[in-house]
Every structure is written in structure tokens, then in C-alpha cells.
Amino acid sequence: MKTLVIAASFVLLTSLPGYAEEAKADSTQALLKGQQATPTAQLLELQRSGKIASRNEQQLPGKAQSKIYERYINSFGHPIAETYINESFSE
């Protein structure tokens, strides 16, 4: 399984035009610092940098969004506790 993940990461990194070179540069920088840049580290760096982020805004369906907003508004009806230590799962 680990080999499959590494192989998939490698394929992903090498198939992205332009990004493979940047990831390779990041790997070179990591090696110069005495660190080993693994494919996972390279993918995490791409995620952190936002270089391959979608430009499409992602939204939930209307009904789910309405429920979330309702829950958010209702949360203001309860005072904020100074500390939160709950030993049980009941109210």
C-alpha cells in the first residue's frame, strides 16, 4: 500500500506541467538543508503553497448550507463558558 501511495504521488508530481520542476526545486532545497524531501512532503508543500488549488469556489448544496447557518445562528443563544471540562457525553 505504501509503495502504491508513493508511486501515485510520483506520477501526480511528474504529470503536472510546471509543478514537477518546482517540486524538484523544493526537493533540492530540502536536500541542501540536510532533509530528505519525500513525495508526501512534496505534495504537502504544494497543498500549503496553493500552487495547484482549484480556482472554482466550492459550495455546499442549499439545504446543507441552510442547516449549517441555522446552527451557527443558534450558537449565539448560549453563553461562552470560561472553561470546558465535560466528563460525560450527556447534557
Side-chain angles (χ1 to χ4, degrees):
M1 179 69 173
K2 188 174 182 181
T3 305
L4 179 63
V5 171
I6 291 171
S9 300
F10 179 75
V11 168
L12 176 65
L13 287 174
T14 57
S15 66
L16 297 171
Y19 299 115
E21 289 302 317
E22 291 176 22
K24 189 175 179 182
D26 292 340
S27 299
T28 304
Q29 291 297 324
L31 290 173
L32 291 174
K33 293 178 184 177
Q35 301 169 346
Q36 183 177 3
T38 63
T40 302
Q42 292 172 356
L43 287 172
L44 289 173
E45 176 55 34
L46 285 173
Q47 183 179 15
R48 263 192 307 274
S49 69
K51 293 176 184 174
I52 59 172
S54 173
R55 290 181 179 28
N56 300 328
E57 185 176 336
Q58 298 179 15
Q59 296 183 1
L60 293 171
K63 191 171 186 177
Q65 186 64 34
S66 296
K67 288 285 190 183
I68 291 169
Y69 186 71
E70 181 182 339
R71 185 173 180 181
Y72 166 72
I73 294 298
N74 290 338
S75 72
F76 291 105
H78 306 285
I80 299 174
E82 289 185 31
T83 59
Y84 181 77
I85 300 174
N86 190 358
E87 301 286 329
S88 67
F89 291 104
S90 63
E91 291 188 31

